[in-house]
Amino acid sequence: MRIGLLTDGGYPYATGESRLWCDRLVRGLPQHEFDLFALSRSADQERRGWVRLPDRVGRVRTAPLWTHEEDTRHPGRHRRPQGRIATGLGRAYGRRDRRRFTAHVTALVEAVCASPEAAAASGEPDTAADLFAEGLYGLAELAQERGGLHTALRSEATVRIVESACRAPGTGRTVHSATVPDHLDFAAGLERALRPLSLDWYDEDGLGAVDLCHAASGGAAALPGLLAKRFFGVPLLVTEHGVPLRAHYLAAPESPLGAPVRALLANFHGLLASEVYRQAALVTPGNTHVRRWQERFGADSGKLRTVYPGMEAERFAAVGEGDDGGGPGTLVWIGRVEPAKDLVALLHAFAEVHKAEPGARLRIFGAPAQGAEGETYLDRCRALAAQLFPDEAADAHAIGDNPVTFEEIGGPEVPDLAEAYAAGGVVVLSSVVEGFPISLVEAMFCGRATVSTDVGAVVEVVGGTGLVVPPRNPRALADACLALLRDPERRARLGAAARARALELFTVEQNLAAFRGIYLDLVSQAPARWTAPPDPEDPTGAPRPFATPPEAHVLGEPAREPVGSGASRVPSWAVAAEGVCAGARGAGDGDA
């Protein structure tokens, strides 16, 4: 069958999120043909090109969700969009289409502005969801029939609709306090969020030709899948290893936007997530932590099936199957150095460990997160380590040594990731925020006992094969580490159990087996869809099911369409970025 794989800032871009998982999925299911529909997030991502694509990838369509003006804007600042607001809808639409646009935008914005408490009190909690769906699909149909949605959403008429909805009875206090600059900011954010509605993917040669849409994440990636189901009846499968909505909430306090705009955007993304979950044939969360978020925003538990992300176990086999238990008195931490990992608490915990076991060591492997914040946090941790652990020497003639080291993987002592895990007997995770803890799974593949904080999906991943303590509790973290350092037999038992659990649940093979069955199950349950007859001169000929002819399954190099082929219409907001996209596609062809 033909699968339409939908990504947002991900595969096939070399710097994309979930690119490894998508690549393993495409390569691991050779019986299916994949068409890629990828949204890019920046000009830099476009310039870096694509990863090498396997032969089973048929057509690739890309679209930027950015403009040159936004991409060159200083990343830490926000500029008001007054200069980009059109005065009216006359240039975009005629009178009838203006009425349609006004009605659909009003429905969508009123749904976004509605207070959940007011909806619950009215006894009709689904009213906002129905209004949102009415406005969303109405705007999508208008964009496909007439175009011009970018200009219309940036018009003064849209801003006035937003202003009226914010001041209407029943809105929350924060939304009601919005000012004119807030209305302008939200109108600009709404236009950016709805850009996928204007793409040229919704035709019989695009998403209408696939048998199943598989969105690699929620949010913008799933929006084309919603329209494919709306226009062509294509079933939608949504996979979320993280929750975009949760990430939006966590990033909101750092946003330069005002509180009313943040509240409106949060409401919009919440309603979009609910609509995606409602329309999806199946939703596959990557863990129970993600599943709880999905259920909170309306996902039907009957449509949810947890599928853990597959990871390569072979690279850790030598360490996991070996007899070496690592440094018996060494704790290892591996990850990206940033405040969410709470290395400060880990250093304070190790201070207690070192007092009780003077021979203990802590090796921290990782690079700082991108940006000034990561470098600043790493410097802070190094300064704290130097303060807590002055260089120690056995006597007056020996060279002082610090029991805490900060190292990067790739040097002569630790050439690869497996060697880093092999350097210690206990692997520690001290995070205060975590999704799916990849470093814990890698440690389990290596047969290492672990001590972790109870955040995200940690308990679900570890099961009973490691020790779990509350976050932000250095004393509890220290006690758990000491318990394992002083009991080598217990370390060995937990390490063996952890490796067996990881091999059972978290391998690439189990992930591929799950999606192999899901694809067949969803397509078998979907209503039969008929495409145009193969002979264009005989419009009355008998239709044929599915979109892939039998000869497509014959071994050999199939005839491939040029990358980016399809309808020539390009959304107006993407015209400025078209040159960059074309250059990136050329670079991708060269890599492939």
Side-chain angles (χ1 to χ4, degrees):
M1 70 183 73
R2 176 177 288 183
I3 309 297
L5 188 59
L6 313 175
T7 66
D8 171 24
Y11 193 69
Y13 294 105
T15 59
E17 298 175 2
S18 299
R19 64 187 183 280
L20 293 178
W21 174 79
C22 290
D23 194 61
R24 291 168 186 162
L25 181 73
V26 172
R27 295 179 186 276
L29 299 177
Q31 67 270 42
H32 302 305
E33 182 179 358
F34 287 83
D35 289 347
L36 301 184
F37 298 84
L39 304 171
S40 68
R41 294 182 179 174
S42 67
D44 180 67
Q45 186 174 58
E46 292 277 2
R47 282 190 289 266
R48 291 176 181 268
W50 300 349
V51 298
R52 184 180 297 274
L53 299 178
D55 292 338
R56 294 309 299 171
V57 173
R59 296 169 300 174
V60 180
R61 287 194 179 185
T62 64
L65 289 186
W66 49 272
T67 65
H68 279 288
E69 181 180 22
E70 294 165 346
D71 191 72
T72 56
R73 186 182 304 170
H74 191 284
R77 299 175 183 173
H78 179 74
R79 192 168 62 199
R80 302 290 186 192
Q82 290 96 323
R84 299 193 302 277
I85 295 294
T87 57
L89 293 173
R91 294 183 179 180
Y93 299 128
R95 181 178 300 176
R96 179 175 177 273
D97 291 330
R98 287 201 298 271
R99 287 198 298 266
R100 290 176 60 191
F101 173 82
T102 300
H104 298 322
V105 170
T106 300
L108 188 145
V109 173
E110 285 181 353
V112 170
C113 293
S115 169
E117 293 78 9
S122 67
E124 299 180 354
D126 294 334
T127 301
D130 294 338
L131 271 177
F132 181 84
E134 175 189 340
L136 179 70
Y137 296 124
L139 290 175
E141 292 168 358
L142 183 63
Q144 294 307 302
E145 295 172 12
R146 302 298 183 188
L149 188 61
H150 162 73
T151 303
L153 287 172
R154 292 280 186 167
S155 68
E156 183 179 349
T158 301
V159 178
R160 293 189 181 280
I161 291 172
V162 171
E163 180 181 14
S164 176
C166 288
R167 295 179 178 177
T171 59
R173 180 180 302 177
T174 302
V175 171
H176 195 77
S177 66
T179 61
V180 172
D182 294 326
H183 302 151
L184 293 170
D185 284 337
F186 175 66
L190 184 65
E191 184 273 323
R192 283 192 293 271
L194 295 180
R195 284 175 184 174
L197 304 187
S198 300
L199 297 176
D200 61 346
W201 296 352
Y202 314 110
D203 53 36
E204 292 293 348
D205 293 326
L207 287 172
V210 304
D211 302 312
L212 173 68
C213 281
H214 187 175
S217 66
L223 193 48
L226 284 179
L227 302 191
K229 180 180 180 182
R230 179 79 173 186
F231 296 150
F232 307 105
V234 179
L236 173 62
L237 168 65
V238 179
T239 294
E240 288 186 320
H241 295 135
V243 184
L245 196 58
R246 172 177 175 268
H248 177 81
Y249 286 153
L250 291 174
E254 306 298 327
S255 171
L257 298 171
V261 184
R262 297 201 303 269
L264 288 168
L265 290 176
N267 291 346
F268 171 85
H269 289 292
L271 288 167
L272 177 60
S274 297
E275 180 63 15
V276 168
Y277 299 149
R278 183 168 64 169
Q279 297 298 334
L282 188 70
V283 181
T284 55
N287 54 72
T288 303
H289 175 65
V290 173
R291 182 182 182 126
R292 286 196 295 266
W293 273 86
Q294 293 169 338
E295 290 177 336
R296 177 181 176 183
F297 284 92
D300 181 359
S301 59
K303 290 184 177 182
L304 298 177
R305 176 180 171 184
T306 301
V307 179
Y308 296 116
M311 299 176 60
E312 294 182 355
E314 293 77 11
R315 62 188 302 194
F316 306 106
V319 177
E321 296 173 359
D323 297 329
D324 180 19
T330 302
L331 303 175
V332 168
W333 181 94
I334 298 176
R336 185 174 62 250
V337 180
E338 58 183 348
K341 305 301 182 182
D342 202 9
L343 288 181
V344 171
L346 175 60
L347 291 171
H348 283 290
F350 183 69
E352 300 297 326
V353 172
H354 193 253
K355 288 179 183 178
E357 295 289 338
R361 295 183 61 84
L362 172 62
R363 300 183 69 176
I364 296 175
F365 296 96
Q370 293 183 352
E373 184 183 29
E375 292 287 351
T376 302
Y377 188 72
L378 177 59
D379 293 340
R380 176 189 174 191
C381 293
R382 283 175 169 161
L384 179 60
Q387 179 183 352
L388 293 174
F389 310 101
D391 288 347
E392 302 172 352
D395 52 56
H397 303 286
I399 298 176
D401 185 27
N402 194 307
V404 178
T405 58
F406 292 83
E407 309 171 51
E408 290 193 13
I409 299 172
E413 295 185 3
V414 185
D416 57 33
L417 188 59
E419 291 294 330
Y421 287 107
V426 178
V427 175
V428 186
L429 183 143
S430 56
S431 302
V432 293
V433 176
E434 194 74 51
F436 185 83
I438 293 176
S439 62
L440 276 189
V441 177
E442 293 171 342
M444 293 166 70
F445 280 136
C446 292
R448 291 300 185 260
T450 60
V451 175
S452 315
T453 49
D454 186 5
V455 293
V458 165
V459 172
E460 180 183 3
V461 167
V462 172
T465 68
L467 305 186
V468 181
V469 301
R472 296 190 180 95
N473 192 330
R475 179 71 262 179
L477 192 62
D479 290 344
C481 291
L482 284 171
L484 293 184
L485 289 176
R486 291 170 172 172
D487 193 342
E489 293 183 0
R490 187 184 184 190
R491 283 203 315 270
R493 289 196 305 270
L494 289 176
R499 176 168 169 76
R501 179 177 175 82
L503 291 174
E504 179 183 0
L505 297 177
F506 306 124
T507 61
V508 173
E509 291 73 20
Q510 66 83 23
N511 183 269
L512 293 176
F515 281 109
R516 186 179 297 114
I518 287 172
Y519 283 176
L520 295 176
D521 186 52
L522 291 182
V523 171
S524 67
Q525 295 181 22
R529 297 189 303 110
W530 303 93
T531 64
D535 185 1
E537 298 181 358
D538 183 16
T540 61
R544 56 187 175 88
F546 302 100
T548 304
E551 57 269 22
H553 300 285
V554 177
L555 295 178
E557 182 67 21
R560 300 178 63 178
E561 298 180 24
V563 171
S565 63
S568 60
R569 181 169 59 83
V570 179
S572 57
W573 49 264
V575 172
E578 189 175 4
V580 177
C581 294
R585 287 197 289 270
D589 289 343
D591 292 341

